[in-house]
Amino acid sequence: MAIRTRKQKPVADTPLHTTHTMSTDLAHPDEIAALIGGRHANPFAFLGPHLDEAASTWIIRCFLPGAESVAVVFEDQAVEMVQLHKEGLFAARIELVPGRPHYHFKARWDGRDIALEDPFRFPVILNGKEILRFRQGQLWRAWETLGARSLTLEGVHGFAFAVWAPAAQRVSVVGPFNNWDGRRHIMRKLHDAGIWEIFIPGLSVDDIYKYEIIGADGSLQPLKSDPFGQAAEVRPANASRLVEPVKANNQDQNWLENRHSRHGLDAPISVYEVHAGSFRRKPEEGNRPLTYGELGDWLIPYVREMGFTHVQFMPLTEYPFDGSWGYQPVGMYAVTSRYGSPDEFRDLVARLHAADIGVLCDFVPAHFPIDGHGLNRFDGTALYEHADPRLGFHPDWKTNIYDFTKPEVVNFLVSSALYWLDRFKIDGLRVDAVSSMLYLDYSRAEGEWIPNIYGGNINLEAVQFMRRLNEMCYGEADGIMMVAEESTAWAGVCKPTYDGGLGFGFKWNLGWMHDTLQYMSRDPIHRAWHHGEITFGLAYAWSENFMLALSHDEVVHGKGSIFSRMPGDDWQRYANLRAYYALMWAHPGKKLIFMGAEFAQVAEWNYEGSLDWHLLDQPGHRGVQSLVRDLNHLYRSLPALHQRDCDPSGFDWVQADAADVSVFAFLRWNHDRSEKLLALINMTPVPRTEYRVGVPHAGRWKVILNTDSAAYHGSNYDGPDQVEAEAVAFNGQPHSIVLTLPPLAGLYLIPA
């Protein structure tokens, strides 16, 4: 008999009807028991429509706990179903001609009739090519296949869910829409790939969900958030949340077409590192952090005025614990909901681009937390992490380490990086904790780690992962930059992968940071004996493409702020900091400082509070802020300060050995050496009058920056704005100038 559908009219004189059968004819008792007990591993073989060829009928079954009655509806004809179990299992046998039926249910709950679609009547969604590419680690746009996707299937709107859990005995989607009952929406397993999927009609944006998983040993796992979920509840809640795909950022097109030039080795790159939750707060509203939109209102004009070229956000991938600052993420595809929605973050990026500001984000592929709702033993086994704790557990952070030997795990991480670059059009990723990935014995004592196949301490699979990460990111997202936080002497971090390197664009120069901060923290009377802490960095300054980073790591865990490390009374601390910044901005390498350092934040950073903006009421803090602003604008406008940051021919020592007076003098050059800048840094509180220093040619030299200027709340120590070079060879240069070096100050000079 034919079924009435929207495309097929009923055959005359052949009304739809059920056959008269006993309940045992509609379902085997063992299958009923398995379903009711939540142990049915293949519900698509039981629920939904099933053709009984011998009887030329369809058997349709549904499980709707609490329903008083259920009818299966074909257009305007309804057939009452037989209740097979008091828990809510119903079935009907319907005579029909071959052809997969289209129908919905009308169920009665508490005296009310509710129409709903049957998720078990829809066909397989994923295709074999997608599954194979994921298994091979080549499904680079995995967010379009896995996770939860808005979908219209056979004219019905809903969400398609797909998750990787190969060892699971059963996986279900649960949420308020099914009273968190794991028996309602059991997923189908797609052969041995271990991917489970289901299409659930009727769900809406902002509905929350998790996965309920019975592990390999038959035990019920903690409810899991979606590894590929694109949004989540606001902590401390942790369910995944349904969203529509992030809308395209068409207004960024001009920026994207030109960002190659903004990220080259010869480009001025000065980065302002930001923790979104503590840049500013709303004390009048319970000290809440700003939303993405509010953050843009404050951050964009400030960064633009200060002259920074980029903002770098600390991790915005979803994370459970505020105190991790985002470095223990559970949602690698989800923008943290603390500050708003994915679309609101996308709009913030677009606004930054419109203001001529690039956007970098922290990316954390090294490890993940052991929170029960996350990736930890996701399917009851060590799926995303190594099973052996000597490889899979990080002793410092008490976190799990990804298993880079699995193509699916590599695919998960690389696709996540591409998701942020593609969907939000951010301009690059700063990859966290690279050193911890490179070395098998990182933070481990003898006997606590497993050597590689050659007996060494290099994590060969992690090396391959990072190479693949950089190849894919640079290949798929034109003009971006990849930055490594790597703290060892590993050779070739920024070397191309085809030449045996890791393939990063830049590397944080943590050696420079450590040495120079140690030098600056010393009383000036002792600096003469530690001169090399400044000069040593120039011995390796071009071994990588370095970024000089004074990051959040330098203002936490009892270290104090950058300003608080400066020695002496308040006058000397301000002066020391200004001299240090003059050294940093003239030194080869791109620049990065953490928010607050630009105005001499006094207190150590507190992620639960706002920066101390009230300090700008004091002239010393305003002076430091004004200096950083002027340094940024000089750095961007003078090619000699940035074009050869990563080229040794762009730097010449003039005085590297004046340890007795703690003075440093060097030249910076542009591409063709037609432009130059002389930097002079006096690291003692003693003014150096009649101080001679060599220069490369005759003529007048003018001071374009003096950190001791009254404009920066300096002492304004007397000295000329211009000096004439004398034909007196000095410091290996054919000419020299004589001038006064103010105390604890930096001077920049260029030919007049």
Side-chain angles (χ1 to χ4, degrees):
M1 304 180 102
I3 309 166
R4 178 188 289 183
T5 68
R6 298 184 193 279
K7 297 182 179 179
Q8 184 176 334
K9 297 295 183 182
V11 178
D13 302 322
T14 54
L16 190 68
H17 66 278
T18 60
T19 61
H20 298 286
T21 56
M22 300 296 291
S23 62
T24 54
D25 186 48
L26 295 173
H28 193 280
D30 290 346
E31 293 224 70
I32 295 176
L35 183 72
I36 301 303
R39 296 285 167 176
H40 205 298
N42 187 15
F44 280 84
F46 180 62
L47 298 175
H50 296 279
L51 181 63
D52 184 344
E53 294 184 2
S56 297
T57 61
W58 285 99
I59 299 175
I60 299 176
R61 305 184 188 94
C62 68
F63 181 57
L64 300 174
E68 299 160 15
S69 64
V70 180
V72 58
V73 180
F74 299 89
E75 288 288 346
D76 56 354
Q77 299 188 58
V79 175
E80 288 296 322
M81 304 181 79
V82 177
Q83 186 171 27
L84 303 184
H85 194 282
K86 63 180 181 180
E87 283 280 319
L89 179 62
F90 296 84
R93 183 184 291 274
I94 301 173
E95 295 181 5
L96 42 75
V97 295
R100 192 163 58 86
H102 289 238
Y103 60 88
H104 68 271
F105 297 127
K106 183 174 70 174
R108 172 156 291 221
W109 273 289
D110 298 326
R112 292 187 305 119
D113 289 335
I114 298 174
L116 66 162
E117 296 284 347
D118 182 5
F120 295 97
R121 78 169 177 85
F122 292 94
V124 172
I125 304 164
L126 302 187
N127 63 57
K129 289 183 179 179
E130 291 175 310
I131 296 168
L132 179 60
R133 288 174 61 200
F134 181 68
R135 295 189 72 184
Q136 294 173 335
Q138 297 178 359
L139 188 67
W140 302 125
R141 297 177 69 86
W143 66 88
E144 296 178 346
T145 300
L146 298 165
R149 295 175 293 131
S150 177
L151 188 67
T152 298
L153 198 60
E154 298 182 353
V156 177
H157 181 264
F159 278 80
F161 298 83
V163 65
W164 180 52
Q169 293 185 13
R170 190 257 287 172
V171 182
S172 303
V173 182
V174 296
F177 50 87
N178 60 18
N179 292 320
W180 300 93
D181 188 338
R183 302 170 299 174
R184 285 280 306 276
H185 293 102
I186 303 175
M187 307 174 81
R188 64 158 64 91
K189 187 176 184 180
L190 301 179
H191 58 77
D192 60 349
I195 294 176
W196 302 69
E197 68 155 28
I198 192 171
F199 173 69
I200 305 180
L203 298 185
S204 303
V205 167
D206 288 332
D207 282 348
I208 61 172
Y209 70 99
K210 284 189 175 183
Y211 293 116
E212 182 179 276
I213 298 175
I214 295 178
D217 62 355
S219 62
L220 196 63
Q221 305 301 303
L223 292 181
K224 296 291 187 180
S225 300
D226 190 347
F228 289 86
Q230 296 179 26
E233 291 183 286
V234 179
R235 50 70 179 110
N238 52 42
S240 298
R241 187 163 50 84
L242 297 176
V243 291
E244 293 287 355
V246 175
K247 298 172 186 174
N249 240 348
N250 296 325
Q251 63 265 47
D252 286 0
Q253 200 56 42
N254 182 63
W255 170 274
L256 298 175
E257 288 174 358
N258 293 284
R259 70 178 174 187
H260 255 123
S261 61
R262 304 172 188 271
H263 297 153
L265 300 183
D266 60 352
I269 298 174
S270 181
V271 183
Y272 189 62
E273 187 187 22
V274 173
H275 178 258
S278 57
F279 177 70
R280 282 186 182 269
R281 291 237 171 183
K282 288 274 191 176
E284 69 279 12
E285 298 179 32
N287 199 38
R288 71 165 176 86
L290 303 180
T291 65
Y292 290 120
E294 291 168 338
L295 181 61
D297 294 342
W298 285 100
L299 182 66
I300 292 169
Y302 182 70
V303 169
R304 187 174 175 85
E305 178 194 355
M306 290 297 296
F308 290 99
T309 62
H310 290 73
V311 165
Q312 178 177 305
F313 289 109
M314 291 170 68
L316 294 175
T317 42
E318 192 58 82
Y319 58 102
F321 176 46
D322 285 9
S324 76
W325 317 326
Y327 290 101
Q328 294 191 11
V330 295
M332 294 297 283
Y333 292 78
V335 178
T336 181
S337 57
R338 287 166 172 79
Y339 318 120
S341 70
D343 280 338
E344 288 169 333
F345 174 66
R346 176 214 60 195
D347 291 343
L348 172 58
V349 174
R351 291 173 63 192
L352 283 158
H353 286 166
D356 208 34
I357 301 165
V359 182
L360 308 176
C361 285
D362 263 316
F363 183 65
V364 188
H367 62 131
F368 59 89
I370 60 175
D371 296 62
H373 71 280
L375 298 179
N376 183 61
R377 297 189 63 81
F378 187 78
D379 63 356
T381 68
L383 182 61
Y384 285 87
E385 69 272 34
H386 279 278
D388 192 318
R390 293 173 295 176
L391 295 170
F393 187 75
H394 201 294
D396 284 351
W397 303 315
K398 305 298 185 289
T399 51
N400 289 324
I401 299 170
Y402 286 103
D403 184 353
F404 300 112
T405 68
K406 295 176 182 173
E408 298 93 338
V409 173
V410 171
N411 200 143
F412 170 76
L413 292 169
V414 174
S415 173
S416 168
L418 293 174
Y419 173 76
W420 287 78
L421 297 170
D422 180 273
R423 295 291 81 193
F424 301 105
K425 306 304 181 189
I426 65 172
D427 303 297
L429 299 170
R430 176 265 193 186
V431 181
D432 181 63
V434 169
S435 301
S436 74
M437 291 187 278
L438 289 174
Y439 300 99
L440 294 165
D441 59 347
Y442 186 90
S443 285
R444 298 181 189 274
E446 191 67 33
E448 294 179 351
W449 59 282
I450 301 175
N452 62 32
I453 58 173
Y454 304 110
N457 69 335
I458 303 303
N459 189 329
L460 302 175
E461 291 79 17
V463 170
Q464 287 303 110
F465 157 70
M466 280 183 272
R467 288 172 175 163
R468 177 57 59 87
L469 173 70
N470 287 317
E471 288 170 351
M472 291 306 302
C473 288
Y474 277 116
E476 296 295 317
D478 196 39
I480 56 107
M481 70 162 102
M482 300 292 287
V483 184
E485 187 221 13
E486 204 285 303
S487 58
T488 73
W490 180 282
V493 171
C494 298
K495 187 184 289 187
T497 59
Y498 61 76
D499 198 21
L502 295 182
F504 285 96
F506 295 96
K507 171 182 171 175
W508 276 14
N509 194 337
L510 299 178
W512 173 90
M513 173 276 300
H514 177 271
D515 289 348
T516 58
L517 278 179
Q518 185 166 278
Y519 178 89
M520 294 306 301
S521 68
R522 300 183 188 280
D523 190 297
I525 199 170
H526 301 303
R527 288 176 178 169
W529 286 270
H530 301 278
H531 203 68
E533 289 173 343
I534 299 295
T535 60
F536 178 64
L538 277 304
Y540 61 86
W542 302 281
S543 60
E544 302 282 1
N545 304 325
F546 280 121
M547 182 176 290
L548 311 182
L550 298 177
S551 75
H552 66 276
D553 278 328
E554 310 321 313
V555 294
V556 291
H557 301 319
K559 297 175 184 175
S561 66
I562 303 297
F563 175 74
S564 70
R565 296 195 205 184
M566 301 296 116
D569 58 21
D570 278 353
W571 180 88
Q572 290 200 22
R573 294 169 97 182
Y574 287 125
N576 268 299
L577 187 59
R578 294 193 301 264
Y580 184 39
Y581 286 163
L583 173 71
M584 178 178 178
W585 260 259
H587 193 287
K590 309 308 178 185
K591 324 300 176 190
L592 178 145
I593 63 171
F594 183 59
M595 62 181 196
E598 81 281 5
F599 63 79
Q601 171 96 3
V602 176
E604 187 171 278
W605 172 53
N606 172 18
Y607 70 90
E608 295 179 302
S610 171
L611 295 179
D612 292 331
W613 294 102
H614 63 274
L615 293 175
L616 290 171
D617 293 337
Q618 302 176 27
H621 294 278
R622 287 199 308 274
V624 173
Q625 183 192 49
S626 296
L627 173 66
V628 172
R629 180 192 61 222
D630 290 353
L631 285 169
N632 273 331
H633 288 291
L634 284 174
Y635 175 66
R636 297 175 68 164
S637 63
L638 295 177
L641 277 177
H642 63 256
Q643 282 188 344
R644 293 194 173 191
D645 267 334
C646 304
D647 182 347
S649 64
F651 176 91
D652 286 319
W653 273 118
V654 175
Q655 284 185 352
D657 57 354
D660 57 330
V661 290
S662 297
V663 170
F664 304 89
F666 52 87
L667 289 162
R668 295 296 311 277
W669 302 88
N670 70 336
H671 271 322
D672 60 6
R673 293 176 72 90
S674 62
E675 297 180 25
K676 62 194 73 66
L677 178 141
L678 174 66
L680 293 166
I681 317 291
N682 176 14
M683 289 297 189
T684 69
V686 179
R688 305 294 173 184
T689 59
E690 299 296 312
Y691 193 84
R692 184 176 295 274
V693 63
V695 292
H697 59 71
R700 297 187 70 79
W701 290 72
K702 65 178 179 180
V703 177
I704 61 168
L705 181 90
N706 177 359
T707 67
D708 190 50
S709 166
Y712 308 129
H713 195 56
S715 65
N716 220 30
Y717 194 88
D718 260 350
D721 292 333
Q722 295 192 26
V723 290
E724 187 78 32
E726 301 174 3
V728 176
F730 199 70
N731 300 133
Q733 302 291 330
H735 295 76
S736 57
I737 56 176
V738 177
L739 74 171
T740 295
L741 302 184
L744 288 174
L747 301 179
Y748 290 177
L749 294 89
I750 61 173

